[in-house]
Each structure stands twice: as structure tokens, then as C-alpha cells.
């Protein structure tokens, strides 16, 4: 079976470096909020082109804490609306609703799957206070257009960059377009830790300072609490792992792009709709997602052919039991996407022979 993602294989290539980094932390005797975290924050901020990086426990906290910080700074208030693409992972909505804000779900662009600037414009109301674009599957959202809308209407922009590490457009990387960006370093991400981890990037000094306190019980100084914060700290071990992984991110991204190019050039099946790729730098191919009207049948055929696939995502957030207030909403583009998408193996450790087998299996499938 060709695995969808071979994390063991990916990490095996970096084993010596990862073990050395882990030993360095163990031997230091300092395991929370130490030199590894500070170094990673500086290195990742520099990589993204932002002034600040604030390490947190996971990607959901990265989004949620940013919205919370804006509330503390009185830039957003409870009941304000946040425009978000409807075809995202549920974590994007959770960050909004847990802060007492209102997600406004809009249809994505049917080609890129990303937030449509036209849909954003149509959804604006007097309560709109922020836009939350998602760099879905690793493709940078239409940030120039979205930032122009935000500027015209005095809106905040929070990038959900959980899948977009290193994606770039016009020389600016994900994490350096909006007022802030939330990243996930879940193990399966392009930049993945060996456990849960996340970060926020921003060039806003006041926001960064507020976030540094919120992630640490609301405190800058021990036992003095400015806010009702929480414990959401990126620990030293994960920071050290990420420092190793960051050094190899661009070469692994280049390999993802080579695999994607082969898929795009060599998959030839009339029943399958391939993703589009306009500019190389804007897509880091966290996922290679095809569409097929008989998706479930196709997945079974590929499984029988020894190719593991995944569905990202089978149920749209507005159809989840967690959000009954949205269950009645009809979003046909979003719902069709969730019914048709299928993710093929996308792993920088895939061999040319494995890529051959995936392509052959897809081309032979008869949905």
C-alpha cells in the first residue's frame, strides 16, 4: 500500500538532527519558554517576513488567541461578524465562536477552493469586523484582493495559514499579508512538529505583546496577571524539532511541487477534475486534491489498487451537529466540493516509482 503520508519515513531522513535537538533540550534542563522557543520564533518570523512570531500550543489556539487579543485591545467586540470560507476545517469556525463572534459563511471560489473576494464583498454588513481567509490545501488565498477590500472597509485580516507554510505571492509569504496569521504545526503539516504545536505571526507590536501574555495565563511577569489568559505555550522540545524541520522546509516544498507537476501532467482520466496551478510560488501542495462525482467509488478502486487516499473534508462545517444554527443554510458550491474531493498521496518522501503507481492507478480507475 502506498501510504497517503509516511511521517515515519519523512522523519527518518532527519533522525540524527532531530535526536541531537532533542538531546540538547533534555541536557539543558529548561523545558518551557526557553532558548529553543525564542530561537524558533525569531527564525520563523524571519522566514515569513513578519516582525514577530508567538509560539502556542496548537493551530486552533493560534487563531483563537489572536481574535481574543483583538477583543482585549477593543479592536473587535462580542457579536461582531467574521467572514470565513464555508469549505474550511471546523477549527476555523471554532476559533470564531469560542470568542463570542459570529462566523459569516460564504461560498469559495469554485476553481481555487479559496475565499472568493466577490463573496466577501457581498457578505459585508455594518457588523463585519474581520476577514479570515484560509490558505486551503497549501494554496495562498487571493490576498491582494482581500487586503484591498479590508483596507476599503477598515477590516482586520487573520490568515488561517495552517496549510500554507511557505506559500508566496508577489514576494510575500503566507503569514505576512494580514494583520496576523495562525499556523498549525500538527505532525502532518508541511512544517510539522512531533506533536501538537502552533504559532502566530504578526508585525503588530501591541498585538504581539498581548498574545505573549495571553498564552501564558495572561501574564508577562510571573504571578502578575493582566488578562484571564490560558496555558498555550509551545514547549522547548517541539520548538527544537521545528527548528530542524524549518531548515528543510523549502527543499521538501520543492519536492512536493515536483510530485504535483507529475500528477498534473500525467493524470489523464475524464472523470477526474485536477486542481489548477497558476503560479508555482503560491502553492506548497500540503494536499493534492482532485474532484470526482463518484468520489466514494473512486476511493474504493484506488484502495484496491494499493493507493491510500483521504477526504478533506467529508462534512462541511455548516452541516455539523456542533453548529445546529447553520444546518439550514444552503451553500451548494461548498456542499458539492465536500461531496467530490479526494486527496491523493502527497509526501516529499514518495519515490518516483510510487508516484508512477499512483498515476497509473488513477488513470485506470473507472468511476
Amino acid at each position: 500500500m502506498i501510504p497517503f503520508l509516511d511521517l515515519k519515513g519523512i522523519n527518518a531522513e532527519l533522525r540524527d538532527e532531530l535526536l541531537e535537538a532533542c538531546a540538547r533540550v533534555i541536557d539543558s534542563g529548561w523545558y518551557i519558554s526557553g532558548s529553543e522557543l525564542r530561537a524558533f520564533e525569531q527564525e520563523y518570523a524571519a522566514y515569513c517576513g513578519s516582525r514577530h512570531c508567538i509560539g502556542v500550543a496548537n493551530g486552533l489556539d493560534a487563531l483563537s488567541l489572536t481574535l481574543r487579543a483583538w477583543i482585549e485591545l477593543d479592536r473587535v467586540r462580542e457579536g461582531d461578524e467574521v467572514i470565513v470560507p464555508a469549505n474550511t476545517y471546523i477549527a476555523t469556525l471554532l476559533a470564531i465562536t469560542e470568542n463570542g463572534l459570529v462566523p459569516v459563511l460564504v461560498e469559495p471560489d469554485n476553481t481555487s477552493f479559496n475565499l472568493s473576494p466577490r463573496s466577501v464583498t457581498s457578505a459585508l454588513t455594518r457588523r463585519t469586523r474581520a476577514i479570515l481567509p484560509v490558505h486551503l490545501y497549501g494554496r495562498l488565498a487571493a490576498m491582494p484582493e482581500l487586503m484591498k477590500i479590508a483596507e476599503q472597509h477598515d477590516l482586520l485580516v487573520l490568515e488561517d495559514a495552517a496549510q500554507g507554510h511557505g506559500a508566496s505571492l508577489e514576494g510575500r509569504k503566507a503569514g505576512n499579508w494580514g494583520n496576523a496569521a495562525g499556523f498549525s504545526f500538527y505532525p502532518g503539516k508541511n512544517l510539522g512538529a512531533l506533536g501538537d504545536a502552533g504559532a502566530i505571526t504578526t508585525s503588530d507590536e501591541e498585538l504581539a505583546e498581548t498574545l505573549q501574555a495571553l498564552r501564558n495565563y495572561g501574564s508577562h511577569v510571573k504571578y502578575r496577571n493582566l488578562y484571564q489568559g490560558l496555558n498555550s505555550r509551545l514547549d522547548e522540545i517541539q520548538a527544537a524539532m521545528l527548528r530542524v524541520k524549518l531548515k528543510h522546509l523549502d527543499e521538501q516544498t520543492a519536492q512536493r511541487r515536483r510530485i504535483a507537476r507529475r500528477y498534473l501532467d500525467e493524470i489523464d482520466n475524464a472523470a477526474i477534475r485536477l486542481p489548477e496551478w497558476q503560479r508555482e510560488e503560491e502553492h506548497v501542495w500540503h494536499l493534492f486534491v482532485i474532484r470526482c462525482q463518484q468520489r466514494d467509488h473512486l476511493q474504493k478502486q484506488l484502495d484496491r489498487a494499493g493507493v491510500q487516499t483521504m477526504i478533506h473534508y467529508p462534512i462541511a462545517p455548516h452541516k455539523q451537529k456542533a453548529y445546529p444554527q447553520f444546518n439550514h443554510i444552503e451553500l451548494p458550491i461548498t456542499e458539492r466540493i465536500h461531496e467530490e474531493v479526494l486527496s491523493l498521496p502527497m509526501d516529499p518522501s514518495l519515490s518516483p516509482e510510487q508516484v508512477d503507481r499512483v498515476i497509473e492507478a488513477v488513470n485506470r480507475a473507472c468511476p
Side-chain angles (χ1 to χ4, degrees), residues 22 34 61 72-73 120 205 247 271 274 295 307 320 325 335:
C22 187
D61 281 1
E72 294 289 353
L73 294 169
V120 171
E205 189 79 33
K247 292 187 294 184
L274 294 169
R295 186 265 313 281
V307 176
Q320 298 282 0
Q325 67 270 39
E335 290 159 23

Side-chain angles (χ1 to χ4, degrees), residues 10 26 34 40 56 71 91 95 141 146 169 193 198 213 223 260 271 275 285 287 331 343:
I10 292 172
I26 293 171
F40 173 71
V56 295
I71 291 172
L146 293 172
L169 188 61
Y223 303 131
W285 298 102
L287 299 171
L331 296 165
S343 301

Side-chain angles (χ1 to χ4, degrees), residues 17-32 35-36 235-241:
E17 290 180 76
L18 293 170
L19 288 174
E20 180 183 350
C22 187
R24 187 172 65 240
V25 175
I26 293 171
D27 293 343
S28 75
W30 195 288
Y31 309 120
I32 298 288
S35 60
E36 295 291 342
D235 69 68
E236 287 288 281
I237 287 283
Q238 297 305 336
M241 300 296 101

